[in-house]
Amino acid sequence: MRMRGGGVPASDGQPPGEGSASGGQPPGEGSASDGQPPPRDPASDGRPPGGGPPVRPSLPASGWLRGVAALLAGALPALAFPAPSLWWLAYVALVPWLLLIRSAATARRAALDGWIGGIGFVIAVHHWLVPSLHVFIVLLAALLGLLWAPWGVLAGRLLGGAPSPLRAAAAVVAVPSGWLVIELVRSWEGLGGPWGLLGASQWEVGPALRVASVGGVWLVSLLVVAVNTALVLVTTARASARTTAGVLLVVCVLAVTGAWAWAPRPAAAGTARIAVVQPGVIAGRDSVERRLARGEELTRTVAGRDVDLVVWGESSIGAGAWQDPETARRLAALSRETGADLLVNVDARQTDGSGRSGIFKSAVLVGPDGPTGDRYDKMRLVPFGEYVPARSLLGWATSVGKAAGEDRLRGDRQVVMALPDGDRRLRIGPLVCFESAFPDMSRRLTRDGAQILVAQSATSTFQQSWAPAQHASLGALRAAENGRPMVHATLTGISAVYGPRGERIGQPLGTDVSAAAVYDVPLTRGTTLYTRFGDWAVYGALAALAALCAAEGVRALRRKPAPGSPGRSARTAHGSPERPGH
């Protein structure tokens, strides 16, 4: 039946332009339009081909408006991280961004939406770096944001138009996998390290921490993005695709439930008593000596409390103090007075075991007789904060922000330190500063026998920002991933301790506190699935994307006509084959 104005009645509740004229096949599922809307006639005043009511886009069509919308949508997930800690927002925070990408008219527009959204995400998650990097953070965000451009194309291709059930299922797998590849690439130290991984926003959610014990923070990120993707399909797709997305949502819930119920838990193995010393914000004239004096004063308050180890924060001993032999004698006296070894942190020009001389950031164990010889030199340095990548090209950054004037030297191996505590021989695995953000480093220490993971940090430069809370929260993920307690000791706060399931032990020391606190830390034996099998979730994501690329390649080959064979005859409006020249 021909409708007035030449229109075709919409089928299955879809608006005109969502389906194909040949059997209702959606774009991208074998149609020539490949998922793109039909060309619009300028004379039709916004009406689709064949007439009918004007199409009113629900999302911004203007390039500038779309750009602003993409920037804000990309920034939204930052609210799931500390300090706001709206952890529940992570499960819907990507929906506006994905809806915007889904509405893109071309793959180029989808890539642009992904790139601009990535810029918003990077700036929002790292906004506390602005005082240090100034305008340089915009350039950094623009470069890192490019990682989201291919993801935008992928999401637009799988979510756009009217996805079939098969394409909906592929979207729930491939879109999270693409996001995970982005997290993997930007986790490289030279690109800033794994700060702001989406799964890390779930640091205080018990079921998510259990998932982390199975597949690390990577698996948590996968599930969070999968939920967002499924919600987009549930709210926009046809009934059959909605059903598929709903089933996959249930699968995600069942996977989390299964991890909660059956994932192995390391067995309890006693407790250790750990003291954390946080001297507070001490800067200005004579700050090195005053910081050391305050650390001594606070350490003496834990004497007689049967402490196994006293942990000081990053840069607790500066260059001037460490070069004075009297400092080692003072620390040894503290160890004798408290009956515990001290794990201090030295930021000074030193010589390492191989004879290299320069500025190292080192965790140093001090006993009753002075330094025990156990020392760990920080391996992964903060770009621009502790070294300038390609200094010959980017050295100008030191004149723009607070970039390192001299590159620190990095250590060459991780170290597990054993405390001389009778038969127990408590073994600790030290990390320095943002090394607690790298899942592989904590896993390596656990596999090497560490019973307690210890991170020494400062964050005093970013005292009034979200950075201290974000940094402290990472300890919960590392503890849960490996089934080992984590002590996060800082110079200026926030200091916190987490049990082997990622649960908080005792009260944290905030950024306005100068104090020492003693924690009874539960010990465990045995390993988690993540410690055993590592980053299998990442490999699974890469395999899923490879399978999708292979399927698309096979599909493209099937569409391509054989050499020498005539192409498919075009048809006129009357249904007869078109004849050239007529």
Side-chain angles (χ1 to χ4, degrees):
M1 175 179 177
R2 183 175 298 278
M3 302 295 293
R4 186 176 181 179
V8 179
S11 61
D12 198 18
Q14 298 299 318
E18 283 290 302
S20 166
S22 58
Q25 191 178 25
E29 297 296 313
S31 71
S33 65
D34 197 24
Q36 305 301 328
R40 185 174 293 176
D41 184 357
S44 67
D45 192 27
R47 291 178 172 81
V55 176
R56 300 184 182 275
S58 58
L59 294 171
S62 164
W64 284 106
L65 287 178
R66 285 189 70 95
V68 172
L71 195 71
L72 295 177
L76 184 61
L79 297 177
F81 295 91
S85 285
L86 304 178
W87 63 265
W88 50 268
L89 183 63
Y91 295 93
V92 296
L94 296 181
V95 170
W97 192 2
L98 288 171
L99 287 174
L100 188 69
I101 291 173
R102 178 185 180 274
S103 71
T106 64
R108 180 179 179 181
R109 182 70 241 186
L112 190 59
D113 291 339
W115 178 39
I116 297 175
I119 293 173
F121 181 85
V122 173
I123 291 177
V125 172
H126 300 85
H127 72 274
W128 41 270
L129 285 172
V130 172
S132 296
L133 297 181
H134 299 296
V135 71
F136 195 75
I137 193 174
V138 178
L139 176 60
L140 181 65
L143 292 174
L144 289 178
L146 288 171
L147 295 172
W148 277 270
W151 181 76
V153 175
L154 174 68
R157 175 72 180 87
L158 293 176
L159 296 175
S164 67
L166 180 60
R167 184 146 62 97
V172 176
V173 175
V175 172
S177 296
W179 181 280
L180 199 62
V181 170
I182 296 171
E183 293 196 335
L184 177 66
V185 172
R186 69 185 185 88
S187 292
W188 178 49
E189 175 196 340
L191 293 179
W195 196 281
L197 302 185
L198 196 57
S201 67
Q202 306 303 295
W203 67 279
E204 54 187 341
V205 182
L209 292 173
R210 291 286 289 148
V211 171
S213 74
V214 175
V217 67
W218 313 110
L219 185 57
V220 182
S221 287
L222 270 178
L223 288 173
V224 170
V225 183
V227 170
N228 278 271
T229 307
L231 288 177
V232 170
L233 290 165
V234 166
T235 56
T236 62
R238 289 179 171 179
S240 56
R242 286 201 303 269
T243 301
T244 300
V247 168
L248 292 174
L249 273 176
V250 173
V251 170
C252 289
V253 173
L254 292 177
V256 173
T257 303
W260 177 267
W262 295 303
R265 303 173 186 260
T271 60
R273 179 161 284 192
I274 308 295
V276 173
V277 172
Q278 179 177 296
V281 179
I282 298 176
R285 188 175 180 181
D286 301 326
S287 60
V288 172
E289 179 55 38
R290 289 189 294 115
R291 187 162 63 240
L292 176 59
R294 182 58 176 161
E296 289 178 293
E297 179 185 354
L298 293 173
T299 300
R300 290 191 179 95
T301 65
V302 305
R305 299 182 65 177
D306 195 25
V307 172
D308 296 302
L309 177 69
V310 180
V311 184
W312 290 16
E314 180 188 10
S315 302
S316 49
I317 301 177
W322 190 246
Q323 290 168 354
D324 181 6
E326 178 63 19
T327 300
R329 288 193 288 269
R330 290 164 64 179
L331 294 174
L334 275 179
S335 177
R336 291 191 297 269
E337 187 174 345
T338 59
D341 284 10
L342 278 61
L343 185 68
V344 299
N345 191 274
V346 181
D347 186 359
R349 195 172 300 278
Q350 307 173 70
T351 301
D352 70 355
S354 63
R356 292 183 303 160
S357 293
I359 300 177
F360 289 91
K361 284 202 171 186
S362 307
V364 178
L365 191 64
V366 180
D369 300 321
T372 65
D374 284 327
R375 166 180 159 180
Y376 166 65
D377 297 323
K378 185 178 182 182
M379 296 173 61
R380 295 182 181 171
L381 305 176
V382 180
F384 298 99
E386 294 170 340
Y387 79 105
V388 175
R391 183 176 287 272
S392 60
L393 296 175
L394 302 177
W396 55 268
T398 59
S399 61
V400 177
K402 299 178 181 178
E406 178 181 351
D407 292 348
R408 269 55 174 173
L409 299 184
R410 63 186 74 225
D412 55 8
R413 63 187 180 91
Q414 291 189 260
V415 175
V416 174
M417 302 177 180
L419 304 184
D421 186 21
D423 295 333
R424 278 208 314 173
R425 297 283 294 175
L426 187 66
R427 296 169 65 84
I428 62 172
L431 300 163
V432 180
C433 191
F434 91 141
E435 288 182 332
S436 64
F438 293 86
D440 65 301
M441 297 193 74
S442 297
R443 177 173 176 258
R444 174 63 183 269
L445 289 170
T446 303
R447 291 174 65 89
D448 286 347
Q451 296 168 280
I452 301 178
L453 303 172
V454 181
Q456 297 172 299
S457 179
T459 64
S460 55
T461 304
F462 313 104
Q463 197 71 1
Q464 305 304 320
S465 71
W466 295 357
Q470 287 184 17
H471 199 175
S473 70
L474 296 174
L477 269 297
R478 303 293 87 83
E481 285 171 342
N482 299 285
R484 293 292 183 271
M486 179 78 158
V487 176
H488 181 80
T490 72
L491 191 66
T492 58
I494 297 172
S495 296
V497 178
Y498 301 95
R501 299 180 184 178
E503 74 278 17
R504 183 179 285 142
I505 303 295
Q507 292 298 315
L509 299 178
T511 55
D512 57 347
V513 172
S514 174
V518 177
Y519 300 89
D520 289 319
V521 180
L523 303 177
T524 56
R525 61 176 178 271
T527 57
T528 63
L529 291 177
Y530 176 72
T531 303
R532 291 183 212 169
F533 302 113
D535 302 330
W536 63 266
V538 174
Y539 303 136
L542 292 172
L545 292 175
L548 177 65
C549 291
E552 288 293 321
V554 170
R555 187 174 171 185
L557 289 174
R558 288 178 176 175
R559 285 181 180 177
K560 185 177 181 180
S565 63
R568 184 176 179 179
S569 299
R571 294 185 176 273
T572 66
H574 300 286
S576 59
E578 183 182 16
R579 290 179 295 172
H582 291 270

